[in-house]
Amino acid sequence: MNNRILYILEADIENYFGSINHGQLREMLDVRIKDGVIRKQIDKWLKAGIMEDKVLHYEKEGTPQGGTISPLLSNIYLHTVADAWYEEIKDLLKGRSFLVRYADDLVLGFEHKEDALRVMNVIFKRFAKYGLTLHPEKTRLVTLSKYDKNLPDTFDFLGFTHYMGVSRNGKRVLKRKTSKKKLCKSLKATFTWIKENRHMKVCQLIEKLNVKLRGHYNYYGITGNSRSLGIYLHSIGRYLFRTLNRRGGKRRNWEAFNNQILVSFPLLQPKIYHSSLAKP
């Protein structure tokens, strides 16, 4: 917001880890790595077979899924495709801009719509040059300006939905909340865990469940996301209530469950771990 960024280019790469061209990757490695022993080891990783349904097959493109070297090679490849390219073109833009990338997730920000449209027109060709395909619908331009109503006004990045809101002082600020996709995924995984461990003693079950809650809060506990954290905790509590009632024995209503079980063995409450208001 301090840089007056009003337009976001959200890029989505289709099947990135399975589309990396081995030949072009080797050319990128030639620039930095001359050690023959290391290069030989990397070639072995790239040629390693993949076992699926007891069938071994070899891929001519991409990095081995689950391979220890895959994250590093993937970052090297996309560094050339996106990061180095952005450094070349940013001085040609009229206004301020930025690129933020984490693995294969990336967004670009622009001060002027004209710059955003120029990059949007060439980014598909840039990625296609290296054998990568951008999703035509998920790669889109987003506006943070209240005056431009012709573009979407929210975007998802690293598990958060980013949108414009109003601060307590009445200023327009960029806010973030847990994306619906990630919230549903987290709840589904936690529900499955509760169901698989419902045989445990209540005290042990909630103790281990609190560890999972803490992990969720540690990542999603940011300023402005209290409501999503509350929804997550409430949903977990309701599912735990229904699951424990199915174990047999004395059945409790929701009020009794809160006053008896959750008083003796409370669920970990949400906490903001990353505050944008904290002083550096």
Side-chain angles (χ1 to χ4, degrees):
M1 301 310 300
N2 293 334
N3 290 323
R4 302 190 299 274
I5 299 298
L6 294 178
Y7 295 92
I8 298 292
L9 176 53
E10 183 181 11
D12 184 272
I13 308 173
E14 292 184 342
N15 187 30
Y16 172 61
F17 293 96
S19 303
I20 295 176
N21 184 284
H22 288 181
Q24 291 177 308
L25 175 60
R26 290 188 177 94
E27 291 178 2
M28 297 173 190
L29 295 174
D30 286 339
V31 178
R32 296 176 179 269
I33 304 176
K34 303 299 181 181
D35 191 308
V37 176
I38 296 178
R39 292 299 304 274
K40 187 176 181 180
Q41 184 62 47
I42 292 176
D43 283 338
K44 288 182 178 180
W45 269 313
L46 291 175
K47 295 177 181 178
I50 301 175
M51 182 75 75
E52 290 183 349
D53 298 327
K54 298 182 179 181
V55 177
L56 181 64
H57 59 92
Y58 300 89
E59 299 290 344
K60 296 182 179 181
E61 292 184 337
T63 56
Q65 294 296 313
T68 55
I69 196 67
S70 293
L72 179 58
L73 294 179
S74 302
N75 268 298
I76 291 173
Y77 196 81
L78 204 51
H79 170 78
T80 300
V81 177
D83 303 351
W85 172 64
Y86 170 73
E87 291 298 321
E88 294 174 0
I89 67 169
K90 68 177 184 179
D91 293 334
L92 303 176
L93 304 176
K94 294 183 178 180
R96 302 181 186 184
S97 64
F98 69 74
L99 180 145
V100 178
R101 182 177 68 83
Y102 185 85
D104 62 327
D105 293 327
L106 64 121
V107 293
L108 295 98
F110 305 93
E111 181 181 1
H112 300 309
K113 186 175 183 179
E114 180 184 353
D115 290 336
L117 292 174
R118 287 177 62 191
V119 175
M120 183 75 170
N121 289 334
V122 299
I123 193 171
F124 286 89
K125 296 179 181 178
R126 172 66 183 184
F127 278 69
K129 179 181 177 181
Y130 292 89
L132 302 177
T133 303
L134 293 178
H135 197 290
E137 296 179 359
K138 296 181 180 180
T139 300
R140 57 179 189 154
L141 197 60
V142 177
T143 181
L144 303 179
S145 171
K146 62 180 179 181
Y147 301 108
D148 196 337
K149 303 297 183 180
N150 297 323
L151 295 173
D153 56 1
T154 67
F155 67 97
D156 291 349
F157 186 57
L158 301 182
F160 291 96
T161 296
H162 298 68
Y163 64 100
M164 294 303 296
V166 180
S167 69
R168 294 180 179 179
N169 297 328
K171 296 181 180 180
R172 281 176 56 83
V173 295
L174 185 68
K175 292 189 174 184
R176 294 166 293 175
K177 61 182 179 181
T178 309
S179 69
K180 291 182 179 180
K181 180 180 178 180
K182 292 297 182 181
L183 181 59
C184 291
K185 185 178 180 179
S186 297
L187 286 174
K188 184 177 180 180
T190 308
F191 290 167
T192 300
W193 183 88
I194 293 174
K195 183 177 180 180
E196 293 175 348
N197 294 275
R198 58 187 172 185
H199 60 278
M200 298 172 62
K201 293 182 179 179
V202 175
C203 59
Q204 295 176 339
L205 179 63
I206 293 182
E207 180 182 2
K208 293 183 179 296
L209 181 58
N210 280 337
V211 175
K212 296 184 176 297
L213 290 173
R214 183 178 292 108
H216 186 87
Y217 300 155
N218 277 335
Y219 185 78
Y220 291 103
I222 63 174
T223 302
N225 197 31
S226 298
R227 185 172 182 273
S228 294
L229 296 181
I231 292 174
Y232 180 77
L233 176 62
H234 180 73
S235 300
I236 295 298
R238 295 293 300 189
Y239 188 83
L240 181 64
F241 160 67
R242 295 195 300 269
T243 301
L244 293 180
N245 261 348
R246 293 193 186 104
R247 296 204 312 185
K250 182 180 178 180
R251 296 181 64 87
R252 299 178 176 85
N253 57 31
W254 175 245
E255 183 178 356
F257 175 76
N258 277 277
N259 294 334
Q260 297 174 17
I261 300 296
L262 294 187
V263 168
S264 301
F265 312 107
L267 291 173
L268 189 67
Q269 296 299 303
K271 179 181 177 181
I272 300 300
Y273 287 89
H274 313 286
S275 175
S276 61
L277 305 177
K279 295 182 180 180

